[in-house]
Amino acid sequence: MAERVKHLAKKIVGADKDPDVAVVGTAEYLREHRFDPVQAVITYLKSLFPILGWIGKYNFAWLSGDLIAGITVGVILIPQSMSYAKLAALTPEYGLYSSFVGVFIYCFFATSKDVSIGPVAVMSLEVAHIINKINGHHPNQWPAPQIATTVAFICGFIVLGIGLLRIGWLVEFISAPAVAGFMTGSAITIASSQVPGLLGIAGRLNTRDPAYRVIINTLKNLPYSTRDAAFGMFGLFTLYLIQISCKRLGKRYPNRARTFFFIGTARNAFVILVLTLGAWLYCKPRKDAKGNFPIAILKTVPRGFQHVGRPIIDNELLKALAPELPVATIIMLLEHIAIAKSFGRLNGYKINPNQELIAIGVTNCIGTLFNAYPATGSFSRTAVKSKSGVRTPIAGVFTGALVVLALYALTDAFFWIPTAGLSAIIIAAVGDLIASPRVVYNFWKVNPLECLIWWAAVLVTVFSSIENGIYTSICASAALLIIRVARPNGHFLGRVRIHQGDDKESHEVFVPFCQNTTASGNTINPHIKIENPAPGVVIYRPEESVLYPNSSLLTGGLVDYIKTHTRRGKDMTGVSLADRAWNDPLPRSGKYVLTEEELAKPILKSVVLDFTAVSNIDTTAVQALIDTRDEIERWADREVTFHFCHILSPWVRRGLVAGGFGIPSDERARARIPVEIAPIAGPLNRSPDDVRGFIFNDLRGKNPQDVETGHDTIQPVASASSSATDFEGSLVNVLTPYFHFDLSSAVRAAERDAAAANSPVQRTGSISKSAIEKDDEGSF
């Protein structure tokens, strides 16, 4: 009964007319991807805590490296975090809260030893933009810390979900030049917004305007600079002086390079200490009756954790934040993954992007319990941490301890920090985010289009906003990817005989006919003589997988080339105008006469498709190949054989077989194609399904094995073996002899077909019914 139902089902869908050729099936796919659910769950849960894999091996050597790196980063992080909190339109303590949670929680979930989590410039600027926009639409409805904490919670939850679902690969769709362009534009925007604070004129202009407008207004207001500029300019000058001096001294005295490195990393703390002392000496005796000071200083910074507790999540606030969350989420995950991958490659280890997303997601969600604002990976602090000799993520614990110490012991000293000094620290920090001219030039050398994407991201960010800049980066990357998939190139190939040096034994290779006119711009010498294949043979190599966006372009180019370089198979000289197609390019009146140029063209007999670059093919593409075959057979007025090579994916082979490719129309055609023989590794010991369609020779003198192939039995060919084994077999499946392993064998087989071709048109397959001719018996 079951067999009858199966047979009926096959008849209904037309599977009973399929060629009896073994192809990969869904059962094989499921077997290859089957897994033990219990073991998979256990492995998944273990992967959530990478610390369990290395904490048991922790030792004193690692401890010393982590301690030095942790303290070094902490010295940088404390002044930076307060500066970034100011950039985010928050009071300084919120930067310290974010710093503690970021470095402390991250180490338990991290797969990168180098990344330092905490407040960063770009994320802080985005938080400030969100706070400004929410307050503009809903004045005084929610305090700025609540808005920032809600952004951290929601973005952290989204990123955590992306990591848990293991879809972090989505980040890969944004190209490196697009990320670099966005970061460069953001750095310019941040620096321009801090210059007014550096000069003491922040109150005279709107620093939230686009960067170009802030720069113009800053130049207009330069005459109104205040005494803050003395502190700010001194701080900025000193920061760069120490940085440049330490780099040069490190190169000049390599033996003391590490000492100069640590001196350079402490420059933020040194400058803040000097400026704080100077502000205290200058401001304390000059306090007026209202309690104001002659320069802007931080004033009171609350001691300890003042806002620990459950975050307040307002539904109305969530609705107001909804349009801003995508950009904030992208910034959070994009910057972190880019930094983690970069330093993983630099230091010889591989990160897990999904686990990194889980790490920053958990960090931001837990951070809301301390009223922290969004945190992610910092490039500058990560670079310092890496160069400091960090050994494991535990270094973050020491950094966090230093931040806690500052929160409880140094807040009185923070009172006198000049805000102009914090602006100087921000400007110096974001300088590392600006792509150097050498990097931009390398983008141009590799791919000019990607360099244009970089410029587009920078210009949009500077002249509009960082939101539009990141959307431009994403859209430009996606557009370029789509264009590359939808508009690939294809090459028609010819034969070249080559030999190496003094060795005169030559072999053939196949190269594109279309080459650049100058040797400097090409991969091969454009003056090399390229021979055409045998008359009536065309060799074509697509550069991409053949899919529905590009199948029409690739097959259309193949048809156009064939119609240009071959002549019609049917003599049209005696065909009247009434019997011609409406779109026939022949003359509308008078007798058509073949020119000498047309007579010199061959009639198409075989097409060779090199699928070296084709890793996937879909239904639309197979149907396009069928339509192409039908069209060129009508043009040639004969059967045209299609030979394929380098089909390495079994699913590409399955799709082509479904379209009727690879299978000869008769046994005479099959007999013309030589079987490619290769040594077999040991005696044959396989199931019938594994050997179906292959032939074998036993070189020990026994009778060769016949292999059942469905309707016919293929007898193995005689072979003069040079193999060291006792067995030989066909390299590819003999049931699909038009599928060849390499291009040379495919061309030789096509040229044999071209020499023997003299048969009427016979079509061997179709996927869908034609819009003009309906197949009464159905189609596959």
Side-chain angles (χ1 to χ4, degrees):
M1 180 65 181
E3 288 297 325
R4 293 181 62 186
V5 172
K6 184 177 180 181
H7 178 73
L8 179 61
K10 285 187 174 182
K11 188 173 182 181
I12 291 173
V13 300
D16 58 328
K17 298 179 181 178
D18 285 350
D20 194 4
V21 175
V23 294
V24 65
T26 52
E28 288 88 343
Y29 179 84
L30 294 175
R31 278 198 299 269
E32 290 175 2
H33 294 81
R34 66 183 175 184
F35 59 92
D36 182 358
V38 177
Q39 186 60 40
V41 171
I42 294 173
T43 303
Y44 177 78
L45 293 177
K46 286 183 177 179
S47 70
L48 298 179
F49 301 94
I51 190 173
L52 299 176
W54 53 265
I55 193 63
K57 298 179 286 185
Y58 203 78
N59 53 65
F60 285 104
W62 292 3
L63 177 63
S64 62
D66 289 343
L67 183 61
I68 293 172
I71 293 175
T72 303
V73 173
V75 170
I76 300 172
L77 178 59
I78 292 170
Q80 270 194 0
S81 62
M82 293 188 292
S83 302
Y84 291 151
K86 172 178 169 288
L87 178 62
L90 300 170
T91 49
E93 67 269 22
Y94 290 98
L96 295 171
Y97 299 159
S98 298
S99 299
F100 161 74
V101 178
V103 295
F104 190 80
I105 299 297
Y106 174 73
C107 68
F108 297 99
F109 301 91
T111 61
S112 171
K113 68 180 179 66
D114 299 298
V115 172
S116 176
I117 296 288
V120 296
V122 179
M123 193 76 225
S124 299
L125 183 63
E126 177 60 18
V127 169
H129 168 79
I130 293 173
I131 292 172
N132 185 57
K133 195 167 185 179
I134 294 298
N135 286 334
H137 290 86
H138 308 274
N140 303 319
Q141 189 167 349
W142 300 287
Q146 182 181 352
I147 298 172
T149 301
T150 303
V151 172
F153 179 80
I154 300 302
C155 291
F157 188 79
I158 293 172
V159 173
L160 176 61
I162 293 173
L164 291 173
L165 294 174
R166 297 294 193 255
I167 53 176
W169 50 267
L170 293 172
V171 181
E172 307 293 344
F173 282 94
I174 306 175
S175 64
V179 175
F182 164 70
M183 298 302 293
T184 298
S186 298
I188 295 172
T189 301
I190 293 167
S192 65
S193 71
Q194 294 305 301
V195 171
L198 186 80
L199 302 176
I201 55 174
R204 303 185 65 89
L205 63 146
N206 183 6
T207 58
R208 306 300 177 194
D209 282 340
Y212 81 96
R213 193 176 298 169
V214 174
I215 294 171
I216 293 173
N217 291 333
T218 300
L219 294 174
K220 289 180 179 178
N221 287 279
L222 281 179
Y224 302 100
S225 298
T226 65
R227 283 170 285 191
D228 295 79
F231 288 84
M233 293 301 295
F234 171 79
L236 185 62
F237 173 78
T238 305
L239 286 169
Y240 277 110
L241 178 64
I242 295 174
Q243 181 183 19
I244 296 171
S245 299
C246 287
K247 283 185 177 180
R248 291 189 175 181
L249 290 172
K251 292 179 179 179
R252 186 172 182 178
Y253 304 102
N255 294 334
R256 298 181 181 180
R258 188 167 177 81
T259 301
F260 290 121
F261 165 74
F262 283 112
I263 293 174
T265 57
R267 65 185 183 277
N268 286 341
F270 172 75
V271 168
I272 286 295
L273 181 63
V274 171
L275 291 179
T276 302
L277 180 61
W280 178 72
L281 293 173
Y282 179 73
C283 294
K284 192 172 183 180
R286 291 175 174 79
K287 182 179 179 180
D288 62 18
K290 295 182 180 180
N292 296 323
F293 296 96
I295 63 170
I297 57 176
L298 284 186
K299 297 184 179 179
T300 303
V301 177
R303 182 189 303 272
F305 295 98
Q306 299 290 324
H307 309 284
V308 177
R310 182 176 63 86
I312 301 173
I313 308 297
D314 191 321
N315 290 334
E316 293 300 319
L317 177 57
L318 290 179
K319 293 178 182 177
L321 285 174
E324 314 299 328
L325 292 177
V327 172
T329 303
I330 292 170
I331 293 174
M332 180 181 290
L333 60 89
L334 188 62
E335 187 171 4
H336 179 90
I337 295 299
I339 293 170
K341 283 187 173 182
S342 175
F343 282 89
R345 289 190 297 267
L346 183 66
N347 294 304
Y349 63 88
K350 184 178 180 181
I351 66 141
N352 183 341
N354 291 307
Q355 185 60 33
E356 289 297 313
L357 295 180
I358 291 173
I360 59 174
V362 172
T363 296
N364 282 278
C365 289
I366 295 179
T368 58
L369 300 175
F370 297 85
N371 236 13
Y373 78 95
T376 187
S378 165
F379 180 83
S380 59
R381 296 195 298 271
T382 298
V384 170
K385 189 177 178 183
S386 176
K387 293 179 181 178
S388 299
V390 64
R391 304 299 297 273
T392 73
I394 288 292
V397 174
F398 303 114
T399 303
L402 200 61
V403 173
V404 173
L405 178 65
L407 268 170
Y408 282 94
L410 300 178
T411 51
D412 291 340
F414 293 160
F415 182 95
W416 300 101
I417 295 177
T419 58
L422 296 181
S423 295
I425 288 177
I426 294 175
I427 294 172
V430 299
D432 294 332
L433 301 179
I434 298 177
S436 65
R438 181 184 297 273
V439 171
V440 180
Y441 177 60
N442 284 335
F443 289 157
W444 177 263
K445 287 198 299 183
V446 174
N447 191 318
L449 287 177
E450 291 189 324
C451 186
L452 292 179
I453 290 177
W454 183 89
W455 277 108
V458 171
L459 294 176
V460 171
T461 303
V462 169
F463 286 92
S464 181
S465 64
I466 62 172
E467 292 82 4
N468 293 336
I470 198 165
Y471 285 138
T472 299
S473 302
I474 294 172
C475 292
S477 297
L480 183 58
L481 178 63
I482 292 172
I483 290 172
R484 285 172 173 168
V485 173
R487 310 296 295 179
N489 292 322
H491 298 288
F492 294 93
L493 310 180
R495 179 187 284 112
V496 173
R497 305 292 304 184
I498 64 173
H499 64 87
Q500 296 182 350
D502 296 332
D503 184 4
K504 298 304 180 181
E505 184 178 350
S506 64
H507 64 279
E508 63 183 16
V509 296
F510 295 89
V511 300
F513 282 115
C514 295
Q515 302 292 336
N516 292 336
T517 56
T518 60
S520 60
N522 211 326
T523 55
I524 65 173
N525 188 342
H527 305 292
I528 291 295
K529 179 182 179 182
I530 303 176
E531 301 174 359
N532 287 301
V537 176
V538 171
I539 310 170
Y540 184 60
R541 176 188 293 157
E543 286 188 351
E544 269 286 350
S545 291
V546 188
L547 303 170
Y548 66 90
N550 61 33
S551 57
S552 295
L553 176 71
L554 292 174
T555 56
L558 176 60
V559 171
D560 291 343
Y561 180 89
I562 288 171
K563 290 186 175 181
T564 303
H565 293 83
T566 64
R567 73 172 189 268
R568 289 176 182 266
K570 184 177 180 179
D571 186 2
M572 301 295 292
T573 56
V575 179
S576 65
L577 183 62
D579 294 330
R580 297 178 190 171
W582 65 276
N583 59 343
D584 197 314
L586 297 178
R588 295 185 57 83
S589 60
K591 186 176 181 180
Y592 174 65
V593 179
L594 284 172
T595 63
E596 291 185 3
E597 183 182 359
E598 289 290 327
L599 288 171
K601 295 179 181 178
I603 297 175
L604 181 68
K605 301 179 180 68
S606 294
V607 175
V608 179
L609 296 178
D610 182 357
F611 270 27
T612 302
V614 177
S615 59
N616 287 287
I617 194 168
D618 59 14
T619 305
T620 306
V622 174
Q623 184 62 56
L625 286 175
I626 292 171
D627 295 339
T628 299
R629 178 181 58 190
D630 293 342
E631 184 173 358
I632 63 177
E633 283 182 344
R634 285 193 295 269
W635 173 263
D637 196 33
R638 65 176 62 237
E639 181 181 19
V640 176
T641 58
F642 275 69
H643 295 260
F644 297 81
C645 68
H646 294 127
I647 301 176
L648 301 182
S649 168
W651 293 94
V652 173
R653 179 177 181 273
R654 173 187 168 120
L656 293 174
V657 169
F661 294 98
I663 307 166
S665 57
D666 55 41
E667 287 306 311
R668 289 180 302 172
R670 187 194 301 273
R672 288 197 300 266
I673 303 173
V675 178
E676 299 164 350
I677 300 297
I680 299 294
L684 183 64
N685 185 20
R686 301 288 183 184
S687 65
D689 287 339
D690 290 334
V691 301
R692 186 164 175 268
F694 295 93
I695 62 174
F696 302 89
N697 282 337
D698 186 343
L699 302 179
R700 299 173 299 179
K702 299 181 180 180
N703 292 329
Q705 301 178 31
D706 291 341
V707 181
E708 284 295 323
T709 59
H711 300 302
D712 305 300
T713 299
I714 303 298
Q715 297 290 342
V717 297
S719 171
S721 172
S722 60
S723 149
T725 66
D726 293 329
F727 299 90
E728 285 185 332
S730 56
L731 179 61
V732 295
N733 196 304
V734 297
L735 294 179
T736 51
Y738 289 158
F739 295 158
H740 308 269
F741 185 77
D742 65 341
L743 183 55
S744 294
S745 60
V747 173
R748 286 195 297 269
E751 290 177 342
R752 284 196 180 198
D753 277 347
N758 190 18
S759 59
V761 175
Q762 298 179 16
R763 297 179 178 84
T764 57
S766 176
I767 287 184
S768 63
K769 295 181 180 180
S770 170
I772 302 175
E773 290 187 20
K774 302 289 185 180
D775 184 357
D776 294 335
E777 296 180 291
S779 59
F780 182 33

